[in-house]
Amino acid sequence: MLFRSAFAVLLSVIVGLGFGLLPAIKVLRADVQHILRGAGNATTLDAGGRFLRHTLLIGEISLSIVLLVATGLLVRSMTNLQNQPLGFRVDRLITSWIGLPRIRYQNNDDVARFFTKVDQNLRESPGVEAVALGYPLPLQGNRFWTSLTIAGRTTNPGEYEQASLRFVDSGFLPLFQIPILDGRNFTDGDDKHAERVTIVSESFAHKYWPGESALGRYITILRDTPVPSRIIGVVGDVRATIEDDPPPSMYVSYKQMSFPSMQIVQLSRDTSNSALARVRQAAQSVDPEQPVEYVASMESIVRGALDPWRFALSLLGGLAGLATVLTSVGLFAVVSYLVRERTKELGIRMAIGATRSDVMKLVLSQSLKLALIGSGIGFALTFLVARLMTSMVYPIHPKDPAIFLAVAVFVAGISILAAYIPARRAARIDPLSALREE
């Protein structure tokens, strides 16, 4: 969705700026001396041409404001994303992925036995401070949105509650520094011979037992052979994606409910390649034919989650800068053309007593009038664009006053600077020369 919206903005900008370049190219190719000295014969401006030039300029200003505000909102949104609490530790964690083939690992006991041995081998490896097993990891999406039932609650046939599911070991929560708010963590004794237990997130507990304790409640996860599971702990919320609120989540011990894919997380100061080599050695000492794929630090996973935002920000920022430059050129072109067409009129005004300051104010006021109209249209369109952005990206306030004020001041400054040079030239017109040109 983010990329489609960026492409739509890009297409509209190309079309708008393409048309907006026409008056700028025309004036920039003209001889300035001819504009100020030899074109005083035109006492009236063609109404159709004037309307077209003014319309294009107003459109450029409007488009620039939309892009500038959109860029500002995206910057604010990305800043909020980078500063939001993720709910887990990021630094010095290196992850590797192992996927076991069902041909060789056909039952849950074989899967659990393999990962337990790999975990033990890694804990004995030098350079490893801590190890944990888990799948899926935070920021890797809601890959297991699983159905469940809650003891004591009735639902319509075929309708079930839904929550995110993670398979972990007893070291997962401590390694990621996910706080235990109530109850206890898993232990090595929570295996297939023990009572089935589950840990739930804070949002899960608040959703189903608001104002009450979730400890001791029973749920049944509808996976494999459904067995009632007792809730033994409540932990802090963890984000599954960078932009969405943390989902209600359940954690199960992989020794009680296993999955053939697992990610090995090491706390280490070594490089990713060294960490990957250790995992391969630990895994292949258990099964020589088992490959180990994918190695990445949690810091790189967080950066990767922000990459689409950085791309959209760089795209919008670049387009906003281009639109601003072309708007400045367009305003300069239109005002220069206006001065050319009104050379005689300005000469007469100065001949009957108008000062150079009066002429500059006249030209600047007419230029700022166009800028004001374009700004009004631009800010009106911006409210619509901002509302659209709030439905596509991380929540932002569509009427952020600081951003709107900053854009308004910036556009006003650019408009004054772009109109100042032709206005200054108009103020230097020699009244006698202008009248003689007639």
Side-chain angles (χ1 to χ4, degrees):
M1 181 67 73
L2 197 61
F3 291 104
R4 289 200 298 269
S5 61
F7 176 76
V9 172
L10 174 63
L11 185 61
S12 64
V13 169
I14 291 175
V15 174
L17 296 182
F19 283 104
L21 277 172
L22 295 177
I25 293 174
K26 180 176 181 179
V27 171
L28 290 177
R29 286 184 174 180
D31 178 52
V32 175
Q33 297 296 325
H34 175 71
I35 289 176
L36 293 177
R37 291 198 310 246
N41 294 332
T43 58
T44 60
L45 182 63
D46 177 70
R50 178 176 57 187
F51 177 78
L52 176 61
R53 282 186 288 272
H54 289 185
T55 300
L56 289 173
L57 177 59
I58 290 172
E60 283 185 345
I61 295 172
S62 302
L63 187 59
S64 297
I65 288 176
V66 171
L67 287 172
L68 286 169
V69 172
T71 301
L73 291 175
L74 195 59
V75 169
R76 178 66 58 85
S77 179
M78 187 169 178
T79 301
N80 292 341
L81 280 174
Q82 291 176 324
N83 295 333
Q84 69 176 341
L86 298 175
F88 60 92
R89 176 182 186 165
V90 171
D91 63 298
R92 297 174 53 209
L93 296 184
I94 304 175
T95 72
S96 306
W97 177 79
I98 296 178
L100 299 179
R102 279 298 189 184
I103 296 178
R104 297 201 307 272
Y105 297 88
Q106 299 182 2
N107 59 67
N108 292 339
D109 290 343
D110 294 336
V111 172
R113 189 178 303 111
F114 172 86
F115 285 118
T116 298
K117 291 181 179 179
V118 171
D119 180 57
Q120 292 172 348
N121 292 341
L122 278 175
R123 292 180 188 278
E124 298 171 357
S125 299
V128 178
E129 299 177 37
V131 180
L133 308 178
Y135 190 84
L137 295 183
L139 291 188
Q140 293 191 327
N142 298 315
R143 298 191 179 184
F144 282 93
W145 200 253
T146 306
S147 299
L148 68 140
T149 60
I150 299 176
R153 300 193 182 188
T154 58
T155 58
N156 296 327
E159 294 183 3
Y160 304 102
E161 303 292 346
Q162 297 282 319
S164 178
L165 178 64
R166 281 195 177 94
F167 307 88
V168 300
D169 69 348
S170 59
F172 185 88
L173 298 176
L175 182 59
F176 277 90
Q177 297 180 354
I178 301 173
I180 299 177
L181 306 178
D182 198 7
R184 69 172 177 87
N185 187 18
F186 295 116
T187 67
D188 291 337
D190 293 319
D191 55 20
K192 67 175 183 177
H193 302 295
E195 176 190 19
R196 183 72 62 88
V197 291
T198 303
I199 295 174
V200 299
S201 66
E202 184 178 15
S203 60
F204 185 102
H206 286 174
K207 178 180 179 179
Y208 295 111
W209 299 283
E212 302 179 35
S213 175
L215 296 184
R217 311 277 185 167
Y218 282 86
I219 61 176
T220 301
I221 300 173
L222 303 181
R223 178 180 173 83
D224 297 336
T225 303
V227 175
S229 178
R230 181 169 60 90
I231 296 176
I232 60 170
V234 178
V235 299
D237 287 323
V238 170
R239 290 186 178 271
T241 61
I242 194 70
E243 65 272 8
D244 296 324
D245 291 332
S249 302
M250 304 175 294
Y251 297 80
V252 296
S253 171
Y254 80 96
K255 294 181 179 180
Q256 294 187 334
M257 184 184 296
S258 63
F259 189 74
S261 291
M262 194 68 69
Q263 286 177 281
I264 318 297
V265 186
Q266 303 176 56
L267 176 62
S268 175
R269 297 184 182 275
D270 291 345
T271 63
S272 296
N273 289 335
S274 298
L276 178 61
R278 276 197 299 266
V279 175
R280 283 177 174 161
Q281 182 179 3
Q284 291 173 359
S285 66
V286 180
D287 182 350
E289 299 181 7
Q290 178 58 47
V292 178
E293 305 174 30
Y294 177 83
V295 60
S297 67
M298 283 304 300
E299 291 174 331
S300 67
I301 292 175
V302 174
R303 288 194 300 269
L306 289 170
D307 280 345
W309 295 80
R310 292 192 180 94
F311 170 78
L313 181 59
S314 61
L315 176 62
L316 277 177
L319 293 177
L322 178 61
T324 301
V325 170
L326 293 181
T327 296
S328 303
V329 174
L331 183 59
F332 171 84
V334 169
V335 177
S336 297
Y337 198 84
L338 177 65
V339 171
R340 186 193 78 175
E341 295 296 336
R342 300 183 63 182
T343 299
K344 180 186 175 184
E345 176 194 341
L346 296 175
I348 294 174
R349 286 177 180 270
M350 298 181 70
I352 62 177
T355 64
R356 291 185 175 183
S357 177
D358 294 332
V359 173
M360 285 192 66
K361 290 179 181 178
L362 175 65
V363 176
L364 286 174
S365 64
Q366 293 180 343
S367 305
L368 294 180
K369 180 181 178 181
L370 295 176
L372 184 61
I373 295 173
S375 298
I377 297 174
F379 281 116
L381 292 174
T382 295
F383 284 115
L384 300 177
V385 173
R387 291 181 184 275
L388 179 62
M389 290 180 67
T390 56
S391 65
M392 293 189 300
V393 297
Y394 188 68
I396 52 178
H397 197 292
K399 299 179 182 179
D400 191 313
I403 293 176
F404 276 71
L405 179 61
V407 170
V409 172
F410 178 74
V411 171
I414 290 295
S415 300
I416 293 173
L417 289 175
Y420 176 76
I421 295 177
R424 186 179 178 183
R425 289 178 178 176
R428 293 180 176 180
I429 292 176
D430 180 11
L432 296 179
S433 300
L435 293 175
R436 280 197 298 266
E437 288 296 331
E438 178 62 20

